[in-house]
């Protein structure tokens, strides 16, 4: 190294860096980051979530081999879910969850919190700090942090945790979003509207009844429920697992469809972003909704409004200073952009590039520069 300085090679790699990742090795999120490391000639070691949950001291040995650790989502692995449930205090006699079943969300979340605490025992540089990841997972705590920082948010409150208490708290008519306090990928998300004599619940949820037992499952298509018995069956289960009530704000309509934005903020800068559109109020792309190119949003909403959206996303991400990146959902309204939510694992945007870089390549290169500055 010249003059004792820590230098990056031409391909942005530190000469002796070796990165670590905690995740599910078979998951495409891990594959995408692994490919980004390979493209940049950066060695990567993976510690499976399952191994960490079985051997809580594994993080110590793992961290000694790497220069920094990226923490990836623990989802989409049945064995890991079982481990999180056990760690989070689910009953020993709890039935095994079926694929896609929505249950024990609080216990899964508490298990994740303990797992993140295990991961945080390493004395290393984290791409995103475990504590910030946890707070982003908790929609209520994230909301409180946003309010303290004067980030624009719809009016939000904790929902009553019983169906009777929830119904008694409602005015004569209205509409709102109900979101599990701990959840992701629209799991358990409900758009609910009602009048004195009618009601409707819109959600990517399927009801399966076996005898007197009602089970809820995630669906890749959005369903509309208009019967009180169905709505009660859904809400009775979800409210007991803790939810937040959020005002259903009217979003911009482009080409006749409700539109919002997913913006990936990396190191304080809004980088990758795309519009999401649906004829329904729920716009998540994995539910078969449409992607709106950023150029189309810009042409419709104008440069000034678009810049306000990007700035609001950056402001939201700044509430989590120890997270290098975060996905921020922006709701474009007539009064200006407001934050829908923030996602610690919101960089899964395949095919989207910024400055010629995928989301994973962009966050990797920023992280390498951060590691360099630590050594300087």
């Amino acid at each position: 190294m010249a003059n004792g300085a820590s230098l990056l090679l031409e391909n942005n790699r530190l000469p002796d860096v070796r990165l670590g990742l905690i995740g599910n090795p078979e998951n495409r999120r891990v594959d995408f980051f692994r490919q980004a490391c390979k493209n940049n000639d950066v060695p990567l070691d993976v510690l499976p979530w399952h191994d960490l949950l079985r051997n809580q001291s594994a993080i110590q040995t793992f961290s000694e081999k790497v220069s920094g650790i990226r923490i990836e989502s623990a989802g989409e692995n049945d064995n890991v879910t079982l481990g999180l449930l056990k760690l989070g205090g689910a009953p020993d006699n709890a039935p095994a969850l079926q694929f896609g079943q929505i249950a024990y969300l609080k216990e899964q979340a508490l298990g994740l919190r303990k797992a993140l605490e295990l991961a945080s025992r390493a004395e290393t540089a984290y791409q995103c700090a475990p504590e910030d990841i946890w707070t982003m997972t908790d929609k209520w705590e994230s909301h409180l942090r946003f309010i303290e920082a004067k980030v624009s948010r719809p009016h939000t409150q904790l929902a009553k945790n019983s169906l009777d208490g929830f119904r008694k708290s409602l005015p004569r008519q209205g509409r709102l979003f109900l979101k599990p306090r701990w959840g992701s990928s629209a799991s358990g998300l409900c758009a609910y509207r009602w009048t004195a004599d009618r009601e409707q619940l819109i959600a990517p949820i399927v009801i399966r009844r076996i005898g007197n037992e009602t089970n809820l499952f995630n669906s890749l298509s959005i369903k509309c429920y208009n019967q009180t018995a169905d709505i009660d069956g859904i809400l009775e289960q979800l409210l007991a697992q803790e939810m937040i009530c959020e005002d259903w704000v009217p979003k911009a309509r482009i080409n006749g469809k409700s539109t919002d934005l997913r913006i990936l903020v990396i190191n304080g800068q809004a980088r990758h972003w795309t519009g999401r559109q649906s004829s329904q109020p729920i716009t998540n792309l994995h539910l078969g909704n449409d992607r709106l190119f950023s150029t189309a949003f810009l042409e419709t909403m104008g440069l000034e409004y678009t810049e306000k959206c990007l700035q609001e996303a950056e402001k939201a991400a700044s509430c989590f200073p120890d997270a290098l990146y975060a996905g921020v959902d922006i709701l474009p309204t007539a009064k200006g952009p407001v934050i829908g939510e923030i996602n610690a694992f919101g960089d899964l945007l395949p095919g989207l590039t910024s400055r010629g870089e995928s989301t994973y390549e962009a966050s990797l290169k920023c992280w390498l520069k951060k590691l360099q500055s630590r050594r300087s």
Side-chain angles (χ1 to χ4, degrees):
M1 296 185 183
N3 300 321
S6 178
L7 299 177
L8 284 170
L9 298 180
E10 289 184 2
N11 64 357
N12 289 321
R13 183 172 71 84
L14 287 168
D16 58 347
V17 74
R18 187 175 195 87
L19 298 180
L21 182 150
I22 301 173
N24 296 324
E26 76 285 355
N27 193 278
R28 62 176 177 159
R29 294 173 180 270
V30 175
D31 286 340
F32 284 136
F33 191 74
R34 185 186 285 120
Q35 187 61 50
C37 288
K38 182 179 180 181
N39 292 345
N40 289 273
D41 194 27
V42 178
L44 177 71
D45 291 334
V46 177
L47 173 63
W49 273 114
H50 186 54
D51 290 357
L52 177 59
L53 295 177
R54 287 190 305 176
N55 178 10
Q56 298 184 3
S57 64
I59 188 64
Q60 303 295 346
T61 304
F62 182 70
S63 65
E64 292 170 0
K65 301 186 299 180
V66 298
S67 308
I69 293 177
R70 172 186 172 97
I71 299 175
E72 194 48 272
S73 170
E76 301 179 355
N77 182 298
D78 290 344
N79 289 329
V80 172
T81 297
L82 287 174
L84 294 178
L85 286 171
K86 182 177 180 181
L87 199 60
D92 292 335
N93 61 350
L97 294 183
Q98 301 176 54
F99 179 78
Q101 187 174 357
I102 307 170
Y104 297 110
L105 297 180
K106 182 175 182 178
E107 287 79 6
Q108 287 187 58
L110 294 178
L112 176 62
R113 179 171 192 172
K114 291 183 179 179
L116 288 170
E117 288 172 353
L118 293 175
S120 70
R121 292 178 181 177
E123 294 184 5
T124 190
Y126 293 94
Q127 192 178 34
C128 296
E131 186 59 35
D132 271 1
I133 291 175
W134 166 249
T135 305
M136 281 189 269
T137 302
D138 186 331
K139 291 181 174 61
W140 178 244
E141 289 298 326
S142 294
H143 171 74
L144 295 179
R145 189 172 291 195
F146 289 144
I147 295 303
E148 184 178 2
K150 293 181 170 51
V151 173
S152 298
R153 275 278 296 152
H155 175 72
T156 302
Q157 59 187 349
L158 286 172
K160 303 293 184 182
N161 61 7
S162 70
L163 178 62
D164 184 60
F166 170 72
R167 286 200 173 277
K168 287 180 178 178
S169 72
L170 297 177
R172 184 174 177 83
Q173 65 180 35
R175 66 179 199 172
L176 51 81
F177 274 96
L178 283 161
K179 300 179 178 181
R181 178 171 175 173
W182 302 280
S184 61
S185 301
S187 180
L189 172 62
C190 302
Y192 177 57
R193 51 192 172 195
W194 70 97
T195 63
D197 55 0
R198 297 177 64 187
E199 60 182 332
Q200 182 181 63
L201 187 142
I202 304 166
I205 293 174
V206 171
I207 302 172
R208 295 180 188 170
R209 293 187 173 92
I210 302 176
N212 294 326
E213 188 173 306
T214 299
N215 293 319
L216 307 181
F217 290 83
N218 292 309
S219 170
L220 290 178
S221 60
I222 300 171
K223 312 294 183 183
C224 294
Y225 294 96
N226 300 294
Q227 301 300 315
T228 297
D230 290 335
I231 294 172
D232 282 355
I234 292 171
L235 293 183
E236 187 171 27
Q237 289 200 34
L238 293 179
L239 288 167
Q241 299 178 62
E242 294 196 32
M243 305 187 83
I244 63 171
C245 293
E246 182 179 294
D247 278 3
W248 180 341
V249 298
K251 296 184 288 190
R253 297 188 70 83
I254 299 176
N255 300 326
K257 293 186 176 182
S258 179
T259 303
D260 60 24
L261 302 177
R262 163 60 61 88
I263 301 175
L264 181 64
V265 180
I266 303 174
N267 198 28
Q269 294 186 341
R271 292 285 304 271
H272 307 72
W273 61 282
T274 187
R276 309 183 303 183
Q277 291 191 299
S278 178
S279 57
Q280 301 284 3
I282 299 172
T283 59
N284 297 64
L285 293 176
H286 75 282
L287 300 176
N289 292 315
D290 299 328
R291 179 179 286 187
L292 179 75
F293 290 114
S294 55
T295 51
F297 184 87
L298 182 61
E299 289 172 1
T300 303
M301 303 300 291
L303 178 60
E304 182 179 357
Y305 191 93
T306 301
E307 287 181 340
K308 287 181 180 179
C309 291
L310 300 179
Q311 290 165 4
E312 199 66 21
E314 291 172 350
K315 186 177 179 182
S318 72
C319 296
F320 301 86
D322 294 323
L324 183 66
Y325 69 90
V328 182
D329 293 344
I330 291 286
L331 314 179
T333 76
K335 296 181 179 180
V338 300
I339 302 300
E341 57 188 66
I342 193 164
N343 191 325
F345 307 114
D347 56 347
L348 184 61
L349 297 167
L352 203 60
T353 60
S354 167
R355 304 171 196 168
E357 299 170 342
S358 71
T359 60
Y360 294 89
E361 289 170 335
S363 67
L364 170 63
K365 290 180 179 180
C366 281
W367 191 20
L368 291 173
K369 291 177 181 179
K370 287 267 190 182
L371 292 173
Q372 179 195 26
S373 66
R374 284 169 59 95
R375 295 185 180 189
S376 300

